[in-house]
Amino acid sequence: MQFIKRGSLYLLRHKIKSLILVAIICLVSLLLLAGAAMKQASENAFWEIRMAASEKLVLQIDTDKAEYGQVTEQEWGSASVYQGDYITQEIIDKILTIPGVSEIGSTISGGFFGAAVDFEYLPAQYNSSTTEYGALSPYYLTIDSEKADSFLNGYLQLKEGRHLTAEDDNAIMISSELAEYNNLHVGDAITLYCLDADIMGYDALVKLEIVGIFTGTEGKGENAISISGRAGNQGFLPYKILERVFGKLADEFGYESIDIFVNDFAEIQNIYNQVSSLPELRNKTLKLDIDSEDYDVMSTPLNSMRGMINIFMVVILLLFAVVLTLLLAAWTKERNKEVGILISLGIAKRNVIAQFVAEVLIISSVSFTASYVLSPFIENLASSFLRQIQNVQMENMDQQTEEILPSGAGQLDASQLYDQLTGSYSQKEFDFQVQIMPQHYVLSFTVGLLLIVISTLLASAKIINMKPKELLAKKD
């Protein structure tokens, strides 16, 4: 074991070189730890998306196949009546019998328009009144608001109360902005005026109980042109509100669109085939699609981030290998006479190589210990780094959204705002918490040691293959 003693004494004699190697190996070890931990954090976020995005089947009316009645002029404008098929409860019940289907959801944008009777909507640039009670604002009709895209993708979050269910018929969910503006709380009653019901001769005043308050609209739409164009003025109503307001007339219609959720996305194609072959859908003006839009939108920037992390780790490893090999080769070249004397004294070349390896292993042990001590600092730094990348990607998506939606996110009309509230163009924001786990230390230290040993062997190969006389004749 003399080679270990010789190696230790050499390191003590060359403190500056030793400290430089300690610093280099420690830095690379920290970068490898950060890369491995960031990769794990991105994988966790990716899995979170898989759970939240809820890839699903969407069954909806096919407007390309359906026919519309003749356009007629009414006192409130022109109109035509859809004369195609709707999704009935019979169809839903049949779909629920298919193995692998977990549940059915449906959320329709702009399914109900109401004016505020005993409260006030958030103001807009132009607060024009279209009814005696003021401007109309669109509401979403839903079977289960918890399954609405806006809640599944994290764009909206339930703050107080509960979600709407299929059993509700007099409930409403409103934004926290609207609740605070009117000092409303869960359990309070509000009244909406329905212009459509008034025109058709039904009771137009709809009294509702606030069962839930959601967040997520804050800071979106303060500069909206109209009341209906401000996200905070929109809310969720149960489908049964139609039956309550329009009575038997609502029985003539079904759902325009339903979401079919599955237990295992790997089986979604098989379930798609089974739903498509149902006799109840034959010759109907309905179409079935596999919807992975939310997953695609949310996962695209994350996939980009994962790619960047992989490139980062490869670049670090390559740079480390090249720099360490060149550095060790330069320093080993200065030890020609030392190696020549050792070999002349009868010390085997393998022992000389073992001494070189022992030196870098001693340095590595010090470096890895230092990197372990500094790892909490790297965790915080890596977390901040991932959040900054996420912010840049979300800003880029916002710019792309502004190009897609010319009127801007804060100045959308009612039809454009539906997409804004459902989160179709939103990005799920992750609170990246990078944690360096034991397996990350094992991975980093193992890869580091492997590269160090290989670099040492490559750096010492040339002089080890030379004869003692050649080594002693060379100048350091």
Side-chain angles (χ1 to χ4, degrees):
M1 303 294 287
Q2 287 295 317
F3 64 89
I4 297 179
K5 181 178 179 181
R6 291 197 306 271
S8 302
L9 293 175
Y10 177 84
L11 294 177
L12 290 175
R13 291 195 305 270
H14 299 83
K15 296 182 179 63
I16 302 298
K17 291 182 179 180
S18 301
L19 290 175
I20 291 175
L21 270 180
V22 167
I24 292 174
I25 296 175
C26 179
L27 176 61
V28 172
S29 176
L30 288 172
L31 291 175
L32 289 176
L33 285 173
M38 287 192 296
K39 186 175 178 63
Q40 182 66 55
S42 66
E43 292 293 338
N44 293 340
F46 188 77
W47 177 250
E48 186 178 342
I49 283 181
R50 290 301 300 245
M51 298 299 292
S54 297
E55 297 104 325
K56 56 187 180 291
L57 297 175
V58 177
L59 180 64
Q60 57 191 327
I61 60 175
D62 190 345
T63 55
D64 294 330
K65 292 183 179 179
E67 295 183 359
Y68 289 82
Q70 185 177 358
V71 177
T72 59
E73 295 297 330
Q74 307 290 339
E75 57 180 310
W76 66 89
S78 60
S80 61
V81 180
Y82 170 73
Q83 296 180 338
D85 299 302
Y86 286 90
I87 303 166
T88 63
Q89 189 61 45
E90 178 188 4
I91 293 175
I92 292 177
D93 292 340
K94 195 67 177 179
I95 292 173
L96 286 172
T97 64
I98 296 176
V101 174
S102 59
E103 53 190 325
I104 300 293
S106 179
T107 301
I108 301 299
S109 59
F112 189 96
F113 283 79
V117 176
D118 47 12
F119 64 100
E120 295 182 2
Y121 284 130
L122 297 165
Q125 293 185 30
Y126 299 99
N127 299 302
S128 58
S129 298
T130 52
T131 74
E132 61 181 299
Y133 295 102
L136 296 168
S137 181
Y139 286 81
Y140 286 80
L141 294 179
T142 182
I143 296 177
D144 182 358
S145 59
E146 190 174 9
K147 292 299 181 182
D149 289 341
S150 47
F151 286 100
L152 287 175
N153 64 26
Y155 184 83
L156 301 179
Q157 302 88 34
L158 182 66
K159 180 182 179 183
E160 298 176 35
R162 64 172 177 83
H163 278 282
L164 297 175
T165 68
E167 305 304 318
D168 289 315
D169 64 355
N170 68 334
I172 186 173
M173 291 179 66
I174 63 174
S175 71
S176 60
E177 281 187 301
L178 189 62
E180 292 172 5
Y181 189 71
N182 291 274
N183 194 28
L184 295 171
H185 305 88
V186 171
D188 290 345
I190 60 175
T191 305
L192 293 177
Y193 167 77
C194 179
L195 178 62
D196 293 331
D198 198 1
I199 292 172
M200 296 180 185
Y202 295 95
D203 185 2
L205 298 180
V206 185
K207 191 172 183 179
L208 302 159
E209 178 187 353
I210 300 173
V211 298
I213 296 175
F214 58 85
T215 61
T217 63
E218 297 80 3
K220 300 176 177 65
E222 283 95 343
N223 297 321
I225 295 176
S226 63
I227 292 291
S228 62
R230 185 160 182 176
N233 288 328
Q234 299 184 34
F236 291 83
L237 291 169
Y239 256 106
K240 280 191 175 181
I241 197 70
L242 295 180
E243 181 181 339
R244 177 186 162 194
V245 174
F246 297 101
K248 291 185 178 180
L249 180 63
D251 295 336
E252 299 179 12
F253 307 102
Y255 300 103
E256 295 180 13
S257 173
I258 61 170
D259 298 326
I260 305 170
F261 296 93
V262 300
N263 293 320
D264 184 1
F265 185 66
E267 294 294 322
I268 198 165
Q269 185 62 53
N270 179 42
I271 296 173
Y272 172 89
N273 295 336
Q274 294 186 62
V275 175
S276 299
S277 61
L278 288 176
E280 289 78 5
L281 297 182
R282 196 168 299 153
N283 299 323
K284 293 289 197 302
T285 55
L286 303 172
K287 64 178 181 178
L288 181 67
D289 297 298
I290 297 176
D291 179 22
S292 60
E293 179 183 358
D294 288 337
Y295 170 77
D296 293 338
V297 170
M298 290 191 288
S299 65
T300 296
L302 190 56
N303 282 329
S304 175
M305 183 183 294
R306 294 166 73 194
M308 291 174 59
I309 293 172
N310 290 334
I311 293 173
F312 168 79
M313 294 189 69
V314 171
V315 169
I316 289 300
L317 290 173
L318 290 177
L319 285 177
F320 176 54
V322 172
V323 171
L324 187 62
T325 300
L326 293 176
L327 189 61
L328 290 176
W331 288 353
T332 304
K333 188 177 180 181
E334 299 175 359
R335 304 174 67 176
N336 289 333
K337 289 185 177 180
E338 177 188 349
V339 174
I341 292 172
L342 291 174
I343 296 175
S344 299
L345 292 174
I347 296 176
K349 289 183 177 180
R350 64 175 180 273
N351 286 334
V352 176
I353 295 176
Q355 176 185 332
F356 291 165
V357 173
E359 291 170 2
V360 293
L361 290 180
I362 293 171
I363 288 175
S364 299
S365 63
V366 176
S367 300
F368 292 156
T369 302
S371 63
Y372 176 80
V373 174
L374 294 173
S375 58
F377 169 76
I378 292 299
E379 287 179 339
N380 295 331
L381 195 63
S383 298
S384 300
F385 177 68
L386 288 183
R387 294 190 193 106
Q388 288 178 357
I389 293 178
Q390 176 179 244
N391 292 337
V392 171
Q393 291 176 332
M394 293 183 72
E395 288 175 3
N396 292 338
M397 178 59 75
D398 289 340
Q399 292 175 0
Q400 294 175 11
T401 301
E402 291 175 3
E403 295 175 0
I404 296 172
L405 305 177
S407 56
Q411 299 180 350
L412 302 176
D413 61 31
S415 63
Q416 290 170 319
L417 190 61
Y418 300 153
D419 287 333
Q420 180 188 355
L421 188 57
T422 56
S424 297
Y425 297 100
S426 69
Q427 294 292 303
K428 183 172 180 61
E429 186 172 355
F430 298 95
D431 183 21
F432 288 103
Q433 293 293 336
V434 175
Q435 290 184 318
I436 299 178
M437 308 298 289
Q439 61 266 29
H440 300 146
Y441 290 108
V442 173
L443 176 64
S444 174
F445 296 166
T446 301
V447 173
L449 283 174
L450 184 62
L451 288 177
I452 288 168
V453 171
I454 293 174
S455 298
T456 303
L457 295 176
L458 291 174
S460 58
K462 185 176 180 180
I463 65 170
I464 290 300
N465 290 327
M466 297 174 65
K467 296 180 179 180
K469 184 182 294 184
E470 295 174 328
L471 291 169
L472 294 173
K474 281 186 173 289
K475 295 182 178 181
D476 290 340

